[in-house]
Amino acid sequence: GAVVSQHPSWVICKSGTSVKIECRSLDFQATTMFWYRQFPKQSLMLMATSNEGSKATYEQGVEKDKFLINHASLTLSTLTVTSAHPEDSSFYICNHKGDLQRAEAFFGQGTRLTVV
Amino acid sequence: AQRVTQPEKLLSVFKGAPVELKCNYSYSGSPELFWYVQYSRQRLQLLLRHISRESIKGFTADLNKGETSFHLKKPFAQEEDSAMYYCALPRGSYIPTFGRGTSLIVHP
């Protein structure tokens, strides 16, 4: 099956710095990728939909200037958390658009971000 | 608006006991529902989907439109079933709407 690779798996950064998270599709072309955030003991929440070659679509309440998404190629989508704050500490996960006929969606392994 | 509700944050059972993880949904139309599982330190992965009516790792889930439920069941829990389980409802042709997840702990 398709594989999505997310990097890094975990990162610790200082407040005010920026962190980039990469999501790569290894054996398929992903025109659409999704970015989720999961706070401790809460569900995955969709942050934005990343579209290759165009602007990302953000969910309500998600600051697009803070969470920059770039999807410049069919195999790479990046999420940059800018001017990170401790409240941005969370688990971020990407996933490839699933095919309902195959009923599958492919997830990266996730990135644990801790802002100190 | 569509919604997925998993009322239990934590479900703790002993090995060999039956397990039922609850999922209720709110959706106008004919839903397609899924269960995802996330084992410790592993990525989220699809467990089963209602349209296939299959049994995966001994788990089954039946869509009950009258009760708007899609509960996940297993007659005899195993220790390796310990994981986070997410019920999910597609939006369009993909799957962004998840319940908050239920942590299943199976004790030896």
Side-chain angles (χ1 to χ4, degrees):
Chain A
V3 177
V4 174
S5 177
Q6 191 172 336
H7 177 80
S9 297
W10 59 270
V11 59
I12 301 173
C13 71
K14 293 184 178 179
S15 290
T17 62
S18 295
V19 174
K20 180 185 286 187
I21 302 169
E22 294 186 347
C23 185
R24 293 182 184 274
S25 56
L26 299 184
D27 56 358
F28 63 95
Q29 294 183 330
T31 55
T32 303
M33 301 286 279
F34 300 96
W35 287 95
Y36 299 82
R37 179 169 57 186
Q38 182 183 29
F39 291 109
K41 299 180 182 178
Q42 297 186 31
S43 73
L44 288 169
M45 297 297 295
L46 180 66
M47 297 175 66
T49 303
S50 169
N51 301 296
E52 187 269 334
S54 64
K55 291 183 179 180
T57 303
Y58 290 82
E59 295 297 300
Q60 191 173 11
V62 178
E63 299 175 62
K64 60 182 179 181
D65 294 329
K66 181 170 185 59
F67 299 100
L68 300 178
I69 291 175
N70 184 281
H71 196 154
S73 78
L74 288 170
T75 60
L76 176 64
S77 175
T78 62
L79 168 67
T80 301
V81 182
T82 63
S83 186
H85 290 284
E87 55 264 32
D88 297 325
S89 298
S90 185
F91 184 74
Y92 294 86
I93 191 167
C94 64
N95 106 287
H96 165 58
K97 174 181 178 178
D99 181 337
L100 196 60
Q101 295 303 314
R102 295 164 56 203
E104 292 175 307
F106 305 105
F107 292 86
Q109 62 266 54
T111 298
R112 177 80 62 190
L113 170 64
T114 302
V115 183
V116 298
Chain B
Q2 64 182 57
R3 188 183 305 152
V4 175
T5 304
Q6 291 179 251
E8 302 144 328
K9 280 187 177 180
L10 172 66
L11 186 60
S12 182
V13 301
F14 286 99
K15 177 182 174 181
V19 167
E20 182 179 68
L21 291 91
K22 292 183 169 54
C23 172
N24 290 90
Y25 66 90
S26 173
Y27 183 78
S28 58
S30 186
E32 299 285 348
L33 284 145
F34 304 84
W35 276 98
Y36 283 80
V37 60
Q38 188 172 30
Y39 300 101
S40 180
R41 301 192 186 93
Q42 295 187 31
R43 69 186 63 193
L44 200 65
Q45 55 188 283
L46 179 67
L47 179 61
L48 56 79
R49 48 191 167 164
H50 100 269
I51 56 173
S52 61
R53 303 184 68 81
E54 56 198 346
S55 174
I56 303 295
K57 300 184 178 182
F59 285 97
T60 58
D62 291 319
L63 180 64
N64 186 321
K65 292 185 179 180
E67 295 181 359
T68 60
S69 68
F70 188 56
H71 303 328
L72 183 67
K73 300 177 183 180
K74 185 169 182 177
F76 308 103
Q78 302 299 314
E79 290 180 68
E80 54 266 30
D81 296 329
S82 297
M84 280 292 293
Y85 292 81
Y86 294 89
C87 185
L89 179 67
R91 181 167 70 189
S93 62
Y94 50 94
I95 314 172
T97 306
F98 291 86
R100 66 175 176 180
T102 298
S103 177
L104 173 64
I105 299 175
V106 181
H107 301 281

